[in-house]
Amino acid sequence: MFGSDYEALSAEARVHKRKRILTWVAGLTVLVVLVVVLVLGLALGLAYSSNDDDDRRLSPTALHDSIRIGDLMDTLKDLEHIAHDNGGSRSVVYGYNASAAYIFNKLAKAGYTPHYHYFTINYTYILSPPVLVQLSPKPRTYSNTTDFKAAQRSPSGNVTAPLTYVGNGGCNASDYAGFTQSHIALVSRGTGNCTFTAQVTLAQQYGASACIVHASSAAPNLFTGQMAAGTAITIPALTVSYAVGESLQCVLQSGTNNESVVLSLQVNQRPDVTVHTMNVYADTQDGKADALVVIGSHLDSVDAGPGINDNGSGTSLNLRLALEWRKLRLKAKNKIRFIWWGAEELGLLGSRAYVAWQQQEGLLNNTALYLNFDMTASPNYQTGIYNGSDPAVPQGSAKLSELFFSYFESVKLPTVYSVMGSGSDYRPFVDAGVPSGGLLAGAGAIKSQTGRSMFGGFANTAFDPCYHRACDTVANINQNAQLSFTRAAATVLQN
């Protein structure tokens, strides 16, 4: 889940309260709702229940029934091993290439013809770990990647200066009234209505020597600040967790003036280095190519950790669908493309490059729909369905939401609708007018008491307390959520 200029998807979506008449399928132990809808005038049913050798009818729940948690966990363990062998990360410049080769080889062994889609990105190389130290009134050394991190594309710099809090997110000139030049500006993410780049730009414009952006109370975990390319920003920029930001504010308020807090920070990195990377994809052999169904999950992690929930979980879900589809020899009515995105954590770069490529080749109109799976096993999860009924998303997206809702209702599991903002790889498809949907279990946002009453777990705690951290390992996976989400995706895909 990308967490930079864009906020993680809202986890506090409205709760569905609807009743449906359910039909029991004779002889089945699993209750399944078979829904037939139209997307762009095309039947959304995706599979014929037959195999290659004879006319034997397969169960309409064959794909669902083939999903086993052991298989899903085996993939997650493999991804963790890859991270272990690559400095603890599967990010673009660490373990991503090995992760891509792993997916490619799994697909090839299953009988697919996988492909790499190559693209280039601008990457920020960290030359030495950033430093953040509080010198006064009480000395404290903050922990990189736990308490703070340097922003992507932040210029290097070595600054020691007093700290000043700037209200309203520092999004307006009026917020800097009385700001002392050369101070370090502390602003809050999510308070004002502006991008991360705009926050840092305004801080520099009004004389700040550095800018620190702290996470919001709604999404308190440390996030990755992403500055846009081509800016004139020259001051270093950091992000800190909500807890660190609140602590700094408390110290400021307890002092006689803002100069009671003096910080020293160092950033040493080289932004905008050209890196070649790739997406990985494979298509079913059969199905109409002019009604392509794209199933996507991002494969990369952040630098700070192995990314087993974010997004090994979606990666494992997607791979299991592809492998079981092939193993069962299901026939697709509409061609299915299983795809794994690169560089999502750097700003949805892989999916953006893919959509641009498809548009350039005149092929995007052949895409009937896109389904996205990003973080499907959060330890303190919710069952989130992307809200396709939002008038801001393409027509046809609501039908995808209905399919997922119908499945979860059939197995008596509660759901919430979550907005399709700008936090994951559905965004380029939505912007291009492709009907989109999918599932999410929650990222760094906080579960409410209402959420706890619906889904269990812990209120006032992040859906994933290890979001974008080194502790996002196999131990961070909620196996019930992973199995439930994958079986939901399998049911929608087959029917």
Side-chain angles (χ1 to χ4, degrees):
M1 178 75 70
F2 170 54
S4 56
D5 260 356
Y6 310 110
E7 293 298 316
L9 292 177
S10 171
E12 298 304 322
R14 61 183 181 84
V15 178
H16 310 304
K17 294 182 179 179
R18 298 185 302 176
K19 296 181 179 179
R20 292 176 178 268
I21 299 174
L22 301 177
T23 302
W24 289 94
V25 179
L28 296 178
T29 59
V30 178
L31 186 61
V32 179
V33 176
L34 301 178
V35 182
V36 179
V37 297
L38 295 179
V39 174
L40 301 179
L42 296 169
L44 193 62
L46 301 180
Y48 291 111
S49 293
S50 64
N51 65 15
D52 294 334
D53 297 332
D54 55 44
D55 293 329
R56 177 176 61 84
R57 299 288 295 177
L58 293 178
S59 164
T61 63
L63 190 59
H64 169 285
D65 297 344
S66 72
I67 304 302
R68 299 286 184 268
I69 189 60
D71 296 327
L72 294 164
M73 294 304 296
D74 284 346
T75 298
L76 295 174
K77 291 173 185 177
D78 289 343
L79 293 174
E80 184 168 272
H81 289 151
I82 289 171
H84 181 269
D85 292 341
N86 289 274
S89 174
R90 295 185 306 101
S91 69
V92 166
V93 295
Y94 293 102
Y96 181 75
N97 286 356
S99 299
Y102 170 81
I103 296 295
F104 188 100
N105 291 335
K106 286 285 187 179
L107 294 169
K109 186 176 180 179
Y112 286 98
T113 303
H115 303 275
Y116 289 125
H117 166 236
Y118 293 97
F119 59 99
T120 59
I121 64 170
N122 292 321
Y123 185 78
T124 299
Y125 271 101
I126 298 174
L127 302 177
S128 61
V131 175
L132 179 61
V133 177
Q134 181 176 304
L135 301 177
S136 66
K138 184 178 179 179
R140 176 181 177 183
T141 299
Y142 294 96
S143 175
N144 179 35
T145 74
T146 299
D147 297 324
F148 79 99
K149 63 172 65 174
Q152 289 287 333
R153 290 200 176 97
S154 170
S156 296
N158 190 338
V159 175
T160 298
L163 182 70
T164 296
Y165 178 71
V166 179
N168 301 317
C171 289
N172 303 290
S174 58
D175 301 333
Y176 281 88
F179 182 83
T180 303
Q181 290 199 4
S182 79
H183 280 205
I184 298 170
L186 174 66
V187 300
S188 174
R189 189 80 189 124
T191 303
N193 186 25
C194 66
T195 66
F196 183 88
T197 301
Q199 288 178 300
V200 180
T201 299
L202 274 172
Q204 175 175 295
Q205 182 178 337
Y206 287 93
S209 56
C211 183
I212 297 175
V213 183
H214 75 77
S216 68
S217 58
N221 286 356
L222 183 63
F223 68 100
T224 302
Q226 176 80 28
M227 292 198 290
T231 68
I233 293 173
T234 58
I235 62 172
L238 303 178
T239 63
V240 298
S241 68
Y242 177 73
V244 170
E246 285 292 287
S247 174
L248 289 170
Q249 286 190 60
C250 286
V251 176
L252 284 170
Q253 293 168 1
S254 65
T256 57
N257 56 58
N258 282 347
E259 292 187 355
S260 61
V261 177
V262 177
L263 300 180
S264 178
L265 63 87
Q266 298 174 26
V267 175
N268 184 21
Q269 56 190 29
R270 186 166 70 245
D272 292 332
V273 176
T274 299
V275 172
H276 300 276
T277 188
M278 75 290 279
N279 302 314
V280 187
Y281 71 93
D283 297 346
T284 55
Q285 291 180 346
D286 43 76
K288 294 184 291 186
D290 60 353
L292 188 66
V293 172
V294 181
I295 313 294
S297 308
H298 80 83
L299 180 57
D300 63 317
S301 76
V302 294
D303 288 346
I308 301 305
N309 183 38
D310 184 17
N311 183 38
S313 59
T315 289
S316 176
L317 179 156
N318 200 0
L319 181 62
R320 187 47 43 190
L321 293 179
L323 297 184
E324 295 299 330
W325 186 279
R326 184 76 181 176
K327 182 178 178 180
L328 291 167
R329 293 173 293 172
L330 293 168
K331 287 183 175 288
K333 292 180 181 178
N334 301 329
K335 187 176 288 292
I336 303 169
R337 175 165 293 171
F338 301 98
I339 190 163
W340 290 261
W341 308 115
E344 187 268 0
E345 296 291 4
L346 301 178
L348 318 180
L349 300 184
S351 54
R352 293 186 188 281
Y354 171 86
V355 169
W357 167 52
Q358 292 287 287
Q359 288 174 322
Q360 183 178 7
E361 297 295 323
L363 297 173
L364 191 64
N365 288 339
N366 293 337
T367 300
L369 60 95
Y370 174 69
L371 295 178
N372 190 71
F373 300 100
D374 187 356
M375 301 184 68
T376 57
S378 301
N380 193 31
Y381 76 99
Q382 64 173 4
T383 304
I385 301 172
Y386 292 130
N387 186 6
S389 63
D390 186 334
V393 302
Q395 186 176 4
S397 301
K399 297 300 184 182
L400 301 175
S401 301
E402 291 295 323
L403 286 170
F404 285 112
F405 179 82
S406 295
Y407 170 78
F408 285 114
E409 188 179 53
S410 76
V411 294
K412 301 186 183 339
L413 290 177
T415 56
V416 295
Y417 275 164
S418 293
V419 297
M420 280 192 271
S422 297
S424 194
D425 292 297
Y426 53 77
R427 188 73 249 169
F429 289 89
V430 168
D431 290 343
V434 176
S436 301
L439 302 173
L440 74 163
I446 297 298
K447 177 180 278 189
S448 67
Q449 189 61 49
T450 299
R452 180 186 181 280
S453 67
M454 292 179 65
F455 304 106
F458 301 95
N460 304 315
T461 302
F463 293 107
D464 184 358
C466 288
Y467 175 59
H468 284 184
R469 298 175 62 190
C471 57
D472 187 10
T473 64
V474 168
N476 192 44
I477 293 296
N478 188 305
Q479 295 188 31
N480 289 332
Q482 181 70 2
L483 182 61
S484 175
F485 279 47
T486 308
R487 286 181 169 173
T491 299
V492 168
L493 187 60
Q494 185 178 355
N495 297 300

